[in-house]
Amino acid sequence: MIQNFDVVGGPKMGRDNVPLLRAELKRLKLDGLLIPHEDEYNNEYLPDYNERLMWATGFTGSAGAAIVLNDRASMFTDGRYTLQVRQQVDGDLFGFARLEDGITAWLRANLRKGETIGYDPRLHPPKAVSALRNAAEGAGATLVALEVNPIDTAWTNRPAAPKGPVAIQPDMLSGKNHAQKRAEIGQAIAHAGADAAMLTAPASIAWLLNLRGSDVRCTPLMLANAIIDKAGLVSLYVDPDKLSGDVRSHLGNEVSVTSEDALAADLSNWSGKTLIVDPTTSSAWHSQSLKDAGATVLAQEDPVALPKAIKSSAELRGSETAHRRDAVPLIRFLHWLDTEAQSGQFDEIDAAVKLETFRHDTGLLKDLSFETISGAGSNGAHCHYRVNTATTLPLAPGTLYLVDSGGQYVDGTTDVTRTVPIGKATQEMCERYTLVLQGHIALATIRFPSGTTGSNLDAIARYPLWQAGLDYDHGTGHGVGAFLGVHEGPQRISKTPNNVALETGMIVSNEPGYYKAGEYGIRIENLQYVTQAEDISGGERPMHGFHTLTLAPFCRALIDTDMLTRAERDYVDEYHARVQKEIGPELDGEIAAWLKQACRPL
């Protein structure tokens, strides 16, 4: 199924729906409502059923929030969506504010004394609620937790809740059966001094129980909550209709299955017990409901997060296989870009559809791993651009085209970015592409001791750009799941401080970039995993490194070889030789010949 490029959301949605919401607020004797982008599961992608922010405002971006009051409203987005938010949200209904400046600051400055503002505690983390309440009270207003979200009542044509079937992830791909995983997590819970842990992240539940779902696009998740105790026994709260007889047999008698509606009542069973609840992935409702039930909440990281990030040997083998498979459609696409697409007769949507079609041709694509970023010319300068019928640009001569895409396969998740010229590139384009490539190579080849975090390494990828007075405003690398989320923690490579060490088996992206507003964008991204620490001849400490998973040539036409050191040229030649050796035999005819030329030594 090809992704949808139709324009969704938009100003009309806000004009139609804000009056409905205000009528509901009036009925509830509320002066306003806080509306985050997040849903009850804090997923990157939301089912249509939970697109509350889009319903209220028309905004479709992945990060944002709004507050709707009876006589005014404001929309908050970060710098990635400065242009998009003004295209999609009615400026007559909403004022615009920066998410970076903080919603709390807006509340302090704009709420009026005596106003009562509602919020859905299932959609906000505990720390955020505390800050929001303090801000509201500082303005003389009151923040009230609501049992029912007013949007859910006002949304008369709300889509049905997803009922996607759940599938078993085979042990041969996961590397461990779920009994082993449950036992290990149970031991970690006991070691932390707790009786159980509440799991609110669907990806953690999927990994723990070796299950994959189909409730949201781009990520194979089932919407669910779970509680695992220190003995490894699990209470799974999920729509039972999603589970086949085979799945129930797979779960066995140490995993009980109950409807999600039963969770609230079942929390009373944990009175007097201590439960781990991750304050970054759970909602205020989870923590408060446990406290109201007489349980003690231990605010700690989800005990599944780190084991999930450290891939088993089976998961790494599967990821290798998935990336080799994905390389074939990707190289077919790069060949198309270098031949047919040079005509200037195609646009960003044509290109995105072509790449997705090539991936479908494998016969094994389960879904995209995210919505393809297909950015031509000035659109490529928006690092998180999402193409649609209203914004698509042609692949025009004299421009750069940036494509960031990935696939979900049962054995692995891919994510890759390449930048290519349409027609002849300028010298500036080549120089800045080469600076990005140098940063990419530096991160791909770095050796580092145990205990090193991603934030320790981030500057390495930026160094060539910094020396030229340039930079980019996104992280350099994110964790990636094994047939799970394409963005996965707790590790990351970023300027933002992170205290999670990079450990053997973690998959991370390597994606430095450069973006010239109004003109073009450049990004080069491969996935790589952390290798076991090994001794270096003459060294004193064993060092980790990275093994690259992604296999596709860099763009020779954009490389200024005079800027590269001998070691950097050798890296490119060795990487291209590997691509040719591993993927060349999978191709034939014109495309095989093209790859051989693309991978010839610099």
Side-chain angles (χ1 to χ4, degrees):
M1 183 177 181
I2 302 297
Q3 72 179 88
N4 182 21
F5 300 99
D6 293 335
V7 178
V8 294
K12 185 178 184 300
M13 186 169 281
R15 287 194 292 269
D16 289 346
N17 294 334
V18 166
L20 299 176
L21 176 57
R22 284 177 168 155
E24 183 62 18
L25 294 178
K26 184 176 181 180
R27 187 185 71 82
L28 295 172
K29 296 182 173 56
L30 293 171
D31 297 298
L33 177 70
L34 290 168
I35 311 170
H37 174 266
E38 291 75 19
D39 72 351
E40 294 89 331
Y41 306 94
N42 203 26
N43 287 325
E44 180 173 6
Y45 287 96
L46 309 186
D48 292 343
Y49 174 78
N50 285 342
E51 288 279 10
R52 297 181 179 93
L53 182 63
M54 183 176 73
W55 178 87
T57 68
F59 177 68
T60 62
S62 62
I67 179 168
V68 173
L69 297 143
N70 288 325
D71 59 351
R72 61 204 189 281
S74 189
M75 180 75 210
F76 302 83
T77 54
D78 62 30
R80 294 174 294 173
Y81 297 109
T82 301
L83 297 177
Q84 179 180 331
V85 71
R86 283 165 173 77
Q87 294 169 344
Q88 292 186 319
V89 178
D90 189 339
D92 292 333
L93 281 175
F94 289 86
F96 298 105
R98 286 167 46 88
L99 202 56
E100 295 93 336
D101 295 336
I103 299 173
T104 55
W106 190 96
L107 295 178
R108 287 192 189 94
N110 292 279
L111 290 185
R112 298 167 186 158
K113 188 174 182 179
E115 286 185 321
T116 301
I117 310 301
Y119 74 97
D120 185 338
R122 296 175 183 265
L123 311 185
H124 299 266
K127 187 175 180 180
V129 168
S130 178
L132 292 167
R133 176 172 285 109
N134 289 339
E137 292 175 352
T142 303
L143 201 65
V144 178
L146 306 174
E147 291 188 10
V148 178
N149 193 309
I151 290 177
D152 298 351
T153 305
W155 192 349
T156 54
N157 58 343
R158 187 181 183 191
K163 281 186 171 287
V166 172
I168 299 166
Q169 184 71 349
D171 294 350
M172 63 178 291
L173 293 176
S174 66
K176 294 179 181 178
N177 62 47
H178 70 83
Q180 293 172 296
K181 291 181 177 182
R182 289 187 288 103
E184 291 172 9
I185 300 302
Q187 290 172 5
I189 291 168
H191 183 73
D195 297 293
M198 174 167 278
L199 304 181
T200 63
S204 291
I205 299 167
W207 179 89
L208 176 68
L209 299 178
N210 286 346
L211 297 176
R212 298 296 185 267
S214 52
D215 284 339
V216 296
R217 65 190 188 281
C218 297
T219 315
L221 299 175
M222 61 177 181
L223 300 183
N225 281 262
I227 297 176
I228 176 171
D229 70 15
K230 59 186 178 183
L233 303 179
V234 170
S235 299
L236 175 63
Y237 296 89
V238 66
D239 183 341
D241 292 343
K242 299 176 184 177
L243 308 185
S244 67
D246 287 343
V247 170
R248 288 178 178 272
S249 296
H250 161 81
L251 292 174
N253 57 15
E254 294 189 341
V255 179
S256 65
V257 176
T258 314
S259 169
E260 280 192 278
D261 295 337
L263 175 60
D266 281 5
L267 294 183
S268 62
N269 299 331
W270 296 96
S271 179
K273 304 292 185 180
T274 298
L275 282 83
I276 295 171
V277 183
D278 189 330
T280 65
T281 61
S282 67
S283 72
W285 180 88
H286 290 103
S287 296
Q288 191 59 50
S289 296
L290 280 168
K291 292 174 183 177
D292 291 346
T296 298
V297 172
L298 187 60
Q300 289 188 1
E301 182 179 79
D302 177 344
V304 172
L306 186 60
K308 174 166 61 70
I310 300 172
K311 305 298 181 283
S312 67
S313 57
E315 288 172 321
L316 292 177
R317 285 195 301 271
S319 293
E320 292 263 22
T321 301
H323 278 83
R324 283 194 295 270
R325 180 188 307 117
D326 197 60
V328 173
L330 181 58
I331 290 168
R332 290 178 66 193
F333 178 67
L334 292 174
H335 166 261
W336 178 81
L337 285 174
D338 200 36
T339 52
E340 288 184 58
Q342 294 293 312
S343 67
Q345 298 176 357
F346 302 95
D347 67 8
E348 296 167 345
I349 292 178
D350 295 325
V353 170
K354 179 68 71 172
L355 177 52
E356 186 173 345
T357 300
F358 286 151
R359 281 195 166 106
H360 278 293
D361 287 347
T362 65
L364 295 173
L365 182 72
K366 295 296 185 181
D367 198 350
L368 299 182
S369 57
F370 57 100
E371 294 173 339
T372 301
I373 298 173
S374 178
S378 59
N379 282 341
H382 300 280
C383 57
H384 293 92
Y385 172 70
R386 291 291 185 272
V387 58
N388 59 60
T389 53
T391 63
T392 186
L393 290 177
L395 277 59
T399 66
L400 293 183
Y401 171 68
L402 183 156
V403 59
D404 186 349
S405 69
Q408 291 283 11
Y409 303 93
V410 70
D411 45 9
T413 301
T414 71
D415 180 4
V416 52
T417 307
R418 290 295 184 266
T419 307
V420 302
I422 305 299
K424 184 173 176 56
T426 66
Q427 181 58 32
E428 178 189 277
M429 291 173 178
C430 294
E431 289 173 355
R432 296 188 178 182
Y433 179 91
T434 306
L435 291 172
V436 172
L437 177 62
Q438 288 176 306
H440 177 92
I441 294 170
L443 186 58
T445 57
I446 189 67
R447 303 299 297 275
F448 55 93
S450 296
T452 301
T453 69
S455 45
N456 296 148
L457 300 183
D458 181 76
I460 292 166
R462 298 178 191 270
Y463 177 78
L465 287 161
W466 283 356
Q467 294 302 103
L470 307 170
D471 200 2
Y472 51 95
D473 294 325
H474 58 74
T476 301
H478 55 82
V480 179
F483 190 39
L484 278 173
V486 74
H487 299 115
E488 177 181 271
Q491 79 279 15
R492 63 176 181 269
I493 302 174
S494 170
K495 290 180 183 179
T496 305
N498 179 273
N499 60 5
V500 178
L502 296 171
E503 297 192 41
T504 303
M506 286 182 170
I507 298 176
V508 293
S509 64
N510 172 358
E511 51 180 308
Y514 169 74
Y515 310 90
K516 188 170 186 179
E519 295 194 31
Y520 60 84
I522 296 166
R523 186 159 65 250
I524 301 171
E525 177 187 17
N526 285 347
L527 297 190
Q528 53 195 35
Y529 67 79
V530 181
T531 59
Q532 188 171 353
E534 296 178 345
D535 291 330
I536 295 175
S537 179
E540 297 179 351
R541 298 183 185 183
M543 296 284 166
H544 293 284
F546 290 115
H547 174 76
T548 299
L549 288 164
T550 307
L551 296 168
F554 304 124
C555 183
R556 291 177 59 92
L558 289 173
I559 299 175
D560 184 339
T561 55
D562 291 338
M563 293 173 60
L564 299 180
T565 66
R566 168 54 63 186
E568 289 167 341
R569 289 197 296 271
D570 288 345
Y571 175 85
V572 173
D573 286 345
E574 290 168 6
Y575 176 72
H576 281 166
R578 181 183 165 208
V579 173
Q580 174 62 37
K581 179 181 178 182
E582 295 193 29
I583 310 303
E586 304 297 320
L587 306 169
D588 55 26
E590 183 181 339
I591 298 174
W594 178 88
L595 180 65
K596 187 173 182 180
Q597 282 295 103
C599 291
R600 70 188 187 278
L602 294 178

